[in-house]
Every structure is written in structure tokens, then in C-alpha cells.
Amino acid sequence: MKQLEGEYTEEKRNIILNRYYEINQTINEHENMITAYKQNTILLDEFEAHNSDFNRALAELSTIEYLMQKCSYFDEIGEGVFFYDTPWIDFFTNSGFNYIVALTIICLIIPVFDSEYQSEAAAMLLTSKYGKNYVCISKLIMVIVLAFAVALALYMVQYVTFVLHIKADHSDLDIKNLMGYKAFSGDSLKQYYMNDAVIKSFSCAAAALFICAVSIFAKNTVFTFFISFVFIVCPYFISSFFRGSWFEYAFAANQLGAMYSEDLNIYALSVTYILKASLYSGFCIRKWGKLQ
């Protein structure tokens, strides 16, 4: 990659093609070389040299095949930049950190309403006809801001940790240089991640309102945690069993499971989040106001 790093050119394409031909030739000759050595038609030194080349060819085969795919991809889009992109690909495809964010939001939001039930302080807040609604609304506003801010902060920590630990540079390169991302041409690697982090943070805000609704309905910490976990975290596990874009909008936090794709309609997702936020907030205010 050090040799190829930089703009994609015909010369670099020929280097890759030539190496691909050499690797395949070495691998295809292996059986013949074994036979020749057994028949004593080649010397041990020659056979050992071939074995060394053969093992190196096997080690390089997957890499050179990947570079061949890159060449075809760059030919398709008409340009490209070679760089060591494996860390970025792994970073975009690994969604394990999203579980941490989701569980953090669940644990932070549950006490907002539930703690008052456990301490029996809720009855003290319901002493006036209008005050109780104002209290509920102020709590919901705080929940939205808190969930969005915490989620965004955690995703920024993930990004900074990635850059510092992996030493992943090239963050300003166009993301179309990664295979499969040409639809996002114009966004840098860093900008694409930032956009995704904002989408996920809004998703967390919508999920936080759902947690509030469950908390007011259940009035129980364990039950609220269980229901929140099922409807916010479990979609990560079951999404692979569903086909069609409808599932992408069915759960408030579904987009936490992976980086957003080109077929994700941001406007449809926004409308979905607004409708869900309105539904959850309306339920909270109505249910909170009827508490005795």
C-alpha cells in the first residue's frame, strides 16, 4: 500500500495486474513443482525457493484480489485514491459500540420519572392542575437534550479514540474511495461518520422518550429496563430476519445497529422520529397528568 498510495493511475493498475498474474502462476505451478521434486528433476534449493514464493503468494492472494476489485471499482467511477482503508472499513461495519450507547441511554433515562415513583415524591408534584403538566414537559425536554448530547458525545469519543489508537489518517478523503460508498460522493470519511453520529443521536432522543413512556406506565425500574431493552436493543439482533425498508423505520433506535445506507430516506426517518416523539410525549403528559 505504501507503493500504491495516492491517486489511481494506469501504472498502478498494471503493477497490481502483473502481481496478480505472478501469484496465480506461482500457485498453479505448485503441484508440478512437487512432482518434479519427487522425480528428482529439480534440486532441493530450487524447490525451497519455490515453496518460499508459493507461501508468499498464498499470503498475498486475498490482498491482491481486493486490490483488483478496487481497480474495477475505480475504473467504474473514473477516479480514486489508494490508501490503507481496512481500519476505516472495520470502523464503519463494527456496530458493537452502539450497544454501549443504547444501554447508557436506558440507564440514564429510566430514573428521570421512575425515581419519583420509588421515593413516592410523584404525588407531591401533582398538587396543581397546570403545574404537573409543566413538570412533565420540562422533564421531557431535558430527556431529549440529555439523550442527544450524551449519545453524540459518546460517538465523538469513539471517533477520537479510533483516530488516536489506529492512527487512521486520510479522514478528509472522499468516502467514495471506499468500495460501496459511491452514493455518498462529496462527503469525506469524517463527514460521513459525523452525519451518521447525528442520525444515531436523534434516534437515541426518540428512544429516550419511549423509555419515559414505559417508565410512567410501568412505575417499576426492572420492568422499564426490560421493556426498553427489548424494544431498543433487540432490533439489532433481529433486523437480519426482516427484509424491506419498513423495518428501518419501525423502531426508534433501529439505526443504532449499523451505519446508515444509501437507501435510507432521511426525510422519511425524520418524519418517523417526529411522529414517535409526539406520540410518546403525548402519552407521557396524558398519563402523568392522570396520576393520583
Side-chain angles (χ1 to χ4, degrees):
M1 290 309 301
K2 286 293 184 182
Q3 181 182 3
L4 297 173
E5 190 173 26
E7 292 291 333
Y8 173 62
T9 62
E10 186 69 25
E11 180 183 0
K12 293 177 180 178
R13 187 176 188 276
N14 290 334
I15 291 174
I16 295 170
L17 288 173
N18 290 337
R19 184 56 188 155
Y20 180 72
Y21 173 77
E22 292 171 2
I23 287 175
N24 279 282
Q25 188 176 37
T26 300
I27 293 174
N28 293 333
E29 288 177 351
H30 186 60
E31 291 298 329
N32 292 334
M33 294 297 288
I34 292 177
T35 301
Y37 177 67
K38 288 180 178 180
Q39 294 176 350
N40 295 320
T41 57
I42 60 173
L43 298 175
L44 176 61
D45 290 345
E46 185 178 354
F47 183 64
E48 287 180 341
H50 166 76
N51 271 337
S52 177
D53 293 339
F54 175 73
N55 290 326
R56 181 180 177 183
L58 288 179
E60 292 183 4
L61 181 60
S62 60
T63 300
I64 207 69
E65 286 178 340
Y66 174 73
L67 291 175
M68 288 287 293
Q69 294 175 10
K70 291 282 284 188
C71 288
S72 298
Y73 174 69
F74 287 158
D75 288 338
E76 178 185 346
I77 65 175
E79 58 181 332
V81 176
F82 280 116
F83 67 101
Y84 184 50
D85 55 13
T86 302
W88 284 101
I89 294 172
D90 293 342
F91 185 54
F92 288 153
T93 55
N94 180 16
S95 59
F97 186 78
N98 299 313
Y99 302 119
I100 298 175
V101 176
L103 290 173
T104 300
I105 296 300
I106 292 174
C107 293
L108 281 177
I109 300 303
I110 287 178
V112 172
F113 286 97
D114 188 71
S115 61
E116 290 165 355
Y117 295 126
Q118 302 305 316
S119 64
E120 299 183 354
M124 300 176 59
L125 300 174
L126 303 176
T127 56
S128 66
K129 180 178 180 182
Y130 300 104
K132 56 189 178 184
N133 288 337
Y134 292 154
V135 170
C136 185
I137 292 172
S138 63
K139 282 177 174 288
L140 293 176
I141 294 174
M142 179 194 71
V143 161
I144 293 173
V145 174
L146 177 65
F148 180 85
V150 169
L152 189 61
L154 289 175
Y155 284 117
M156 292 304 101
V157 168
Q158 183 194 27
Y159 176 75
V160 171
T161 303
F162 165 71
V163 172
L164 294 179
H165 178 68
I166 307 297
K167 306 296 184 184
D169 48 7
H170 307 102
S171 60
D172 293 326
L173 285 177
D174 197 311
I175 194 173
K176 69 180 179 182
N177 291 297
L178 297 184
M179 288 190 294
Y181 289 89
K182 66 178 180 179
F184 303 101
S185 179
D187 291 342
S188 66
L189 294 165
K190 177 171 62 179
Q191 184 61 52
Y192 174 74
Y193 178 79
M194 298 301 177
N195 292 343
D196 183 75
V198 170
I199 291 174
K200 290 176 179 175
S201 298
F202 276 117
S203 185
C204 283
L209 292 174
F210 171 77
I211 297 169
C212 291
V214 175
S215 179
I216 291 176
F217 175 79
K219 307 182 187 67
N220 182 279
T221 303
V222 175
F223 186 73
T224 301
F225 182 89
F226 175 75
I227 295 299
S228 299
F229 182 88
V230 168
F231 284 92
I232 295 174
V233 177
C234 282
Y236 301 154
F237 302 103
I238 65 176
S239 60
S240 59
F241 297 104
F242 294 89
R243 295 188 178 183
S245 59
W246 69 270
F247 188 82
E248 296 181 350
Y249 310 101
F251 295 92
N254 67 291
Q255 281 305 315
L256 292 175
M259 303 296 288
Y260 75 100
S261 57
E262 61 180 298
D263 59 348
L264 177 67
N265 189 315
I266 298 297
Y267 298 105
L269 188 66
S270 300
V271 171
T272 303
Y273 284 168
I274 292 172
L275 291 176
K276 289 177 180 177
S278 301
L279 177 64
Y280 299 149
S281 299
F283 176 85
C284 290
I285 295 170
R286 184 177 179 83
K287 188 69 175 178
W288 175 264
K290 290 184 177 181
L291 289 176
Q292 300 297 325

